[in-house]
Amino acid sequence: MRINRLLSFLVVLLFTAIVMVGAFGTSWNTVSELPQNPADQSNIEGIGMLIFTHYVAPFEVLSIVLLASLIGAIYLAKGEGNR
C-alpha cells in the first residue's frame, strides 16, 4: 500500500513538472493589443459575442451531444461485470 502511494505521488510530481515546464518554458506568441473590429476572427470578445448570440443554438446542441457522449463513455467504462 505504501509503495502505491509513493508511486502515485511520483506520477503527480512528474505531471506537475511537465505542466509547469510547458506553461512557463514556452515562448508564447503575443500581440501588443487586440484588434478592435468585432468581425475580425482573432478578436476574443467578438468570438464570444458570436457564440452566445448568433450561434447559441448550435452551441447548446453541441453541449448536449458532448454530455451524452460523456455519459456513454462512463457507462461503457463501467462494464457489465460490475452489476
Side-chain angles (χ1 to χ4, degrees):
M1 181 76 173
R2 188 159 173 85
I3 296 206
N4 286 341
R5 281 191 179 179
L6 182 62
L7 184 61
S8 299
F9 184 72
L10 290 175
V11 168
V12 167
L13 280 178
L14 180 64
F15 178 75
T16 304
I18 290 172
V19 168
M20 291 298 173
V21 167
F24 296 113
T26 302
S27 62
W28 301 99
N29 295 331
T30 58
V31 294
S32 59
E33 65 181 60
L34 292 173
Q36 298 301 318
N37 184 4
D40 188 8
Q41 294 291 327
S42 63
N43 188 352
I44 296 171
E45 185 179 351
I47 292 172
M49 290 298 292
L50 281 175
I51 286 176
F52 291 111
T53 56
H54 186 69
Y55 296 109
V56 70
F59 180 75
E60 291 298 327
V61 169
L62 180 63
S63 68
I64 292 171
V65 168
L66 289 174
L67 180 63
S69 65
L70 180 65
I71 292 171
I74 292 171
Y75 178 76
L76 289 175
K78 187 175 180 183
E80 295 290 329
N82 294 340
R83 293 195 184 123

